[in-house]
Amino acid sequence: MAVEQKLYYTLRAHVASITDLCCVYGLNTPHLLSSDSDGTIYLWNLISRRPVAHGKISGQVVWIDCLRPGLYVALSKDNTLRFMRTQHNKEIVKITEYVSRELQELRVVYEIPVNSLNFANVAIQELDNERYMLWCCNTMDSECIDIYEFNLSNEQSFKRVFQALNIYEQISNIRGEKNIFKFDKLGTIMKFLAVGPMVYCGFESGFVVGLRVCDGVVDIAYVSPVHYPEPVLGMVYNKEKHVVLTSSTKNIIGIHCTEMGFGKLYDKIDNVRIMRGLEYTKTSFNVPLKKVSHIDVLDGLLLLGSWTGYVVALQESDNEVVFKIRKDKNQVYVDDSYIGNAEPSNKEKPWTPVGCVIGVPGNVFDKLGNRNSLRPGEIRKLNEFAKHRWCVVGYEDGTITIYQV
């Protein structure tokens, strides 16, 4: 199958490796939040293709997210979770040696100490206006979970409601499976993902566990060893199909149910309950790529980014490859082969490693805010943008390339 070269453009401002990307909606045009290993964060207008806001924090940024337009969160390697708001005042920011721009400030308004030693992200659930629940690795042990509640408008509201939750004992005793899976611990937590009242945790052992807080305890409602014994690397929620998808080092994508019935009978150990009769689930499908560290869904497409430098878009309906790319050191390589896992033997890779992959739908009009302030030229560009789907890739060289899919 010949793969057509797609339209793409590149955003340049970061001078360090891209570590995470996040779509931002609710403004008058689609925006993108980006972070790098030097602690720099930019907010981009995807229509003008320019940064509009800037923030700088200490430590490598591990994870970023948009809680709502104007309110963003960043986890960094200095073990701090920071909440930032966009300020109306602007400041001159030196982007490159020769380019400076007047940008809004992304100002830190709230900070929380969080264990980020193993590069795991966190999960944040909104309880009500300005009040949130935080799931993260335990301060001393990355195999355990801490859960906090806090209010952004009250700096004294931060409190830990569950400390050092270790769910290994409950999971290892499910239907006597301890004799099948030869493991004595779940390993460190690799990923958190909040989906409604549930939080899914991906572990180093390859287990994916669905948890929720209910009646003052933590319930284990879902367990899957689909990636055992390989670590969980990527995790995303497919809203259309109501499933969580996970990736690992092998060419398998795990499928995890999010619409489950909660039973009335539980076995309880300390502050953790597990539904009686709960069984392991191992649903998955194969993909033509290994070492998938980044995964996202986009209007019927599955976007995959690999440690091998490849980015692949698959049709969810039949797994057909829509495009497959790898950015060489001096160009973007478009590959029509389904096999992309062979790596050069020398240590210096001839391709640029992928830092993050996300999808941006074209038709985003229902997700945007008031567009009355847009000029005719901006409206024309927005209408053209809306005709296509876009795959956004952040690279180790600090560039962000946006491909038409």
Side-chain angles (χ1 to χ4, degrees):
M1 180 189 69
V3 180
E4 178 186 358
Q5 172 69 65
K6 300 292 186 178
L7 171 69
Y8 69 91
Y9 59 91
T10 300
L11 307 178
R12 291 182 173 88
H14 290 280
V15 295
S17 303
I18 302 299
T19 55
D20 204 8
L21 301 167
C22 174
C23 293
V24 178
Y25 303 110
L27 303 172
N28 58 2
T29 64
H31 282 61
L32 177 75
L33 195 68
S34 63
S35 64
D36 67 26
S37 59
D38 193 38
T40 301
I41 300 172
Y42 283 107
L43 179 66
W44 302 81
N45 183 329
L46 288 179
I47 303 306
S48 68
R49 304 178 186 178
R50 292 183 176 181
V52 295
H54 167 271
K56 177 69 175 179
I57 60 179
S58 62
Q60 174 179 338
V61 180
V62 176
W63 172 80
I64 52 175
D65 197 10
C66 173
L67 298 183
R68 59 176 176 268
L71 178 60
Y72 310 104
V73 59
L75 175 65
S76 61
K77 285 296 291 179
D78 65 349
N79 298 312
T80 305
L81 182 69
R82 294 175 174 88
F83 295 79
M84 300 171 292
R85 294 190 190 273
T86 307
Q87 306 299 308
H88 293 296
N89 60 296
K90 294 185 177 182
E91 57 185 3
I92 300 297
V93 177
K94 186 176 181 180
I95 297 177
T96 67
E97 184 178 355
Y98 305 104
V99 178
S100 297
R101 294 195 184 279
E102 193 176 41
L103 305 178
Q104 292 178 290
E105 178 189 1
L106 295 173
R107 182 178 298 173
V108 176
V109 295
Y110 197 94
E111 295 186 357
I112 297 175
V114 170
N115 179 0
S116 58
L117 294 178
N118 65 327
F119 284 90
N121 64 335
V122 300
I124 299 176
Q125 297 172 301
E126 186 170 6
L127 303 177
D128 51 45
N129 186 34
E130 295 286 292
R131 196 166 68 92
Y132 296 90
M133 178 171 286
L134 168 67
W135 299 62
C136 60
C137 294
N138 174 254
T139 307
M140 304 299 296
D141 187 352
S142 295
E143 298 179 14
C144 298
I145 301 169
D146 284 350
I147 304 176
Y148 300 87
E149 287 185 8
F150 62 95
N151 192 316
L152 282 180
S153 60
N154 181 1
E155 294 184 0
Q156 306 303 319
S157 64
F158 187 64
K159 64 176 181 179
R160 183 158 46 189
V161 291
F162 293 98
Q163 180 178 6
L165 292 175
N166 190 325
I167 57 178
Y168 166 75
E169 182 176 352
Q170 293 89 334
I171 290 176
S172 64
N173 289 324
I174 294 178
R175 296 182 60 83
E177 297 284 0
K178 191 171 183 178
N179 294 325
I180 298 177
F181 299 105
K182 305 298 183 181
F183 65 101
D184 56 6
K185 59 182 181 179
L186 289 172
T188 60
I189 302 168
M190 307 293 289
K191 290 290 181 181
F192 289 95
L193 178 66
V195 180
M198 297 285 296
V199 170
Y200 290 80
C201 303
F203 288 86
E204 184 182 15
S205 61
F207 274 70
V208 178
V209 181
L211 306 168
R212 68 166 184 172
V213 174
C214 181
D215 300 328
V217 297
V218 175
D219 290 337
I220 301 175
Y222 176 88
V223 180
S224 172
V226 65
H227 296 297
Y228 174 85
E230 306 298 327
V232 176
L233 300 179
M235 185 179 289
V236 68
Y237 176 51
N238 188 328
K239 294 180 180 179
E240 293 184 0
K241 296 187 176 182
H242 306 289
V243 296
V244 169
L245 302 177
T246 56
S247 64
S248 184
T249 56
K250 295 184 178 179
N251 63 326
I252 292 175
I253 302 298
I255 307 175
H256 312 280
C257 175
T258 63
E259 295 182 334
M260 61 197 73
F262 293 96
K264 295 183 179 179
L265 297 177
Y266 292 87
D267 293 318
K268 181 180 177 182
I269 301 178
D270 298 326
N271 289 323
V272 180
R273 300 187 305 187
I274 186 167
M275 286 195 296
R276 201 168 295 173
L278 186 66
E279 299 182 3
Y280 285 142
T281 302
K282 291 184 66 176
T283 307
S284 65
F285 62 93
N286 293 335
V287 292
L289 195 66
K290 292 182 178 181
K291 301 178 181 178
V292 177
S293 52
H294 308 283
I295 179 171
D296 201 7
V297 290
L298 172 65
D299 294 343
L301 295 179
L302 184 63
L303 306 179
L304 307 175
S306 170
W307 286 345
T308 61
Y310 281 96
V311 176
V312 175
L314 306 174
Q315 292 282 4
E316 283 192 283
S317 57
D318 55 11
N319 252 16
E320 179 184 356
V321 176
V322 176
F323 78 76
K324 182 175 184 178
I325 56 176
R326 185 164 72 173
K327 181 179 180 181
D328 289 357
K329 291 295 185 180
N330 55 3
Q331 64 179 345
V332 174
Y333 174 58
V334 181
D335 186 5
D336 61 1
S337 169
Y338 281 74
I339 307 299
N341 302 306
E343 297 185 40
S345 57
N346 59 317
K347 293 183 179 181
E348 179 63 29
K349 308 298 183 186
W351 38 264
T352 305
V354 173
C356 187
V357 178
I358 64 170
V360 180
N363 188 6
V364 295
F365 293 115
D366 59 335
K367 299 181 180 182
L368 300 180
N370 192 319
R371 302 190 296 277
N372 293 336
S373 62
L374 295 180
R375 296 186 294 269
E378 293 172 319
I379 295 175
R380 186 168 58 253
K381 291 180 180 179
L382 176 59
N383 290 336
E384 184 63 29
F385 182 91
K387 295 179 181 179
H388 309 285
R389 299 172 297 189
W390 304 91
C391 174
V392 185
V393 185
Y395 289 102
E396 188 181 74
D397 62 4
T399 60
I400 302 171
T401 304
I402 304 179
Y403 303 95
Q404 175 191 323
V405 185

